[in-house]
Amino acid sequence: MPTYKLTYFNFKGRAELIRYIFAYKNTEYEDVRIEFSEWPALKPSIPYGQLPILEIDGVVYHQSIAIARYLAKQAGLVGKTDLDNLRIDAIIDSLDDFISAFPWSEPDEEKKKQKQEEYIKNGSPTLLAALEKSLGDKTWFAGDYVTWADFYWDTFSDGLEAFDPNFAKNLPNLQALKKRVQSISQIASWLERRPKTEH
Ligand SMILES: N[C@@H](CCC(=O)N[C@@H](CS)C(=O)NCC(=O)O)C(=O)O
């Protein structure tokens, strides 16, 4: 069994999908959460200068989605066919495109809030309608089995709910999917015991 050390900030963000996959498999790992005040000193030592990183047996890997895909493969959370993986990966990329373009940094707090609200208001309807259609009345995005795309939907929408409490609330299939993910016993247990953070 390899040793795993995940390093990120003390919030859910881009590490939470990885934490879900570890939780699902009951995999032991070190969940290192650094403070923002520690980051300037640490950043130059981090390959590519961003978090999260995952150390596997002491070797550093970066990019949250690449890491999550690797772990999902090991956990049996990827598609059963190449075509299923094409659909799953496309959903992951659609969510990730949206989050990558989110206006996180803006020095003026008032302007930032306004930009974030506008981004969600203007950008999310097309994405959410497409996701609701992709899911349809299936149990999971892949059909009859759970994958990491379902996990990412849950962590992604949780993250955006912190900015807009009504995010995706009027989409019944997507809301039901969140409930299904959160009811998986290992995920329910993680939600119970994870550190409480605003984001
Ligand atoms: N595509 C990268 C994005 C990583 C990223 O944007 N990390 C942010 C936190 S979510 C970060 O390290 N920010 C601090 C910095 O860039 O100095 C991934 O998914 O891992």
Side-chain angles (χ1 to χ4, degrees):
M1 173 77 165
T3 59
Y4 295 108
K5 178 176 166 185
L6 176 66
T7 304
Y8 193 58
F9 301 100
N10 187 24
F11 60 90
K12 299 173 202 96
R14 286 190 168 278
E16 199 60 15
L17 173 61
I18 297 170
R19 296 186 185 118
Y20 266 42
I21 298 169
F22 277 141
Y24 180 77
K25 269 298 264 185
N26 291 315
T27 303
E28 266 184 45
Y29 69 104
E30 210 182 324
D31 188 13
V32 178
R33 292 162 179 255
I34 66 151
E35 295 303 327
F36 288 121
S37 57
E38 299 172 84
W39 179 234
L42 190 63
K43 185 173 165 95
S45 69
I46 302 290
Y48 296 86
Q50 288 197 313
L51 298 178
I53 53 162
L54 180 69
E55 287 165 67
I56 307 178
D57 287 335
V59 180
V60 179
Y61 299 91
H62 73 294
Q63 284 293 348
S64 62
I65 298 300
I67 294 167
R69 182 177 289 112
Y70 168 80
L71 296 172
K73 269 188 195 157
Q74 312 236 314
L77 282 167
V78 293
K80 290 181 183 164
T81 65
D82 287 346
L83 212 50
D84 279 1
N85 276 319
L86 173 57
R87 288 192 204 97
I88 291 161
D89 284 350
I91 285 166
I92 299 274
D93 285 349
S94 301
L95 299 178
D96 209 62
D97 280 356
F98 189 82
I99 219 69
S100 293
F102 193 77
W104 297 106
S105 44
E106 156 69 56
D108 183 304
E109 278 303 315
E110 201 47 45
K111 260 196 214 153
K112 180 162 85 180
K113 199 165 170 277
Q114 193 188 334
K115 271 193 186 171
Q116 292 175 339
E117 279 171 9
E118 271 168 21
Y119 181 79
I120 292 177
K121 191 166 153 242
N122 298 333
S124 63
T126 306
L127 171 66
L128 291 175
L131 287 169
E132 179 81 356
K133 202 167 162 209
S134 291
L135 178 61
D137 58 6
K138 298 195 296 290
T139 310
W140 310 102
F141 277 121
D144 59 358
Y145 65 98
V146 63
T147 69
W148 64 305
D150 305 304
F151 287 9
Y152 197 26
W153 163 245
D154 191 44
T155 62
F156 166 92
S157 50
D158 266 3
L160 286 157
E161 274 170 26
F163 295 92
D164 173 4
N166 291 318
F167 186 77
K169 281 286 172 357
N170 60 345
L171 296 163
N173 295 334
L174 288 170
Q175 285 301 318
L177 178 59
K178 282 181 74 65
K179 285 219 178 74
R180 238 170 264 133
V181 170
Q182 291 175 11
S183 305
I184 295 170
S185 64
Q186 305 94 304
I187 300 297
S189 156
W190 169 245
L191 296 179
E192 195 66 29
R193 70 179 191 277
R194 71 180 171 184
K196 305 284 171 260
T197 59
E198 191 190 347
H199 293 292

